[in-house]
Amino acid sequence: MQKATFAQKEIAIEILHSAFEPIKEDNLINEVVIDDSRRSERIKILMEFLVEDCLRSGEVLLSDRNSACILMKYSDSNTLDFWKLKWYIKIALKCTGLTKALGILKRQSSLKKYHIKERYIHPVIMGAKNEVNGRGVGMRLIKQLIAHYEDNTLPVIIETTTATNKRIYEHFGFKTFKTIQDKEFPIYFLRMN
């Protein structure tokens, strides 16, 4: 696993776009992105924001063959600045629509109350290129993530909306500490350390 630089931004965006664009089931990405003929473009815009935000105030970790990535943030690094405000406006106009954008901000604030109060590491999103899906790349990525942070004393907090992902995280030692029902699907909060 390697820590990505701004020069590798497009690699991370393409990985995440490839991972999430084909998914049609209920998940947070599909709930927030407008589902129309421009859905693929809208997902790419969202991934561009997430990658650049983590490059600025967290970490973007790429698998050795650039087939998967994880976006990481620290709980105390989520501050609003002019750059982020411009991106929020762009996402509202080109990705989610204004009504959904307000709902997203409200949901983020609501979800944050279920997080722990101490400083923690937060994997924002992870994915593998669609063409390597089902080949164990995601499992190896989680193992690499755990190895990358094995000397870390901060807890790692992650959310997922699928029972399958929840079981995978629990297999690697994450413990579910909260489950809430959000509209059409549950959100599982898991912790390691």
Side-chain angles (χ1 to χ4, degrees), residues 101-191:
L102 294 173
I104 293 164
L105 292 174
K106 187 176 177 181
R107 169 191 270 142
Q108 285 178 331
S109 175
S110 174
L111 291 178
K112 206 165 196 142
K113 71 182 176 188
Y114 298 112
H115 287 201
I116 61 175
K117 302 302 178 214
E118 62 195 277
R119 187 171 190 248
Y120 59 92
I121 299 168
H122 183 231
V124 176
I125 193 169
M126 63 181 80
K129 286 183 179 179
N130 188 44
E131 59 263 22
V132 299
N133 192 16
R135 296 186 191 162
V137 173
M139 298 289 264
R140 286 192 298 277
L141 191 62
I142 295 170
K143 285 180 187 176
Q144 290 174 349
L145 170 69
I146 291 168
H148 183 76
Y149 287 105
E150 74 182 347
D151 294 332
N152 167 59
T153 59
L154 295 176
V156 179
I157 304 293
I158 194 164
E159 303 110 20
T160 185
T161 58
T162 68
T164 302
N165 287 349
K166 176 183 173 282
R167 284 189 300 275
I168 291 169
Y169 296 135
E170 288 174 339
H171 171 78
F172 286 105
F174 283 86
K175 305 284 185 221
T176 302
F177 67 90
K178 183 77 176 171
T179 302
I180 62 168
Q181 185 64 38
D182 182 71
K183 296 187 181 179
E184 296 92 31
F185 47 84
I187 300 177
Y188 305 102
F189 295 82
L190 298 101
R191 173 183 177 149

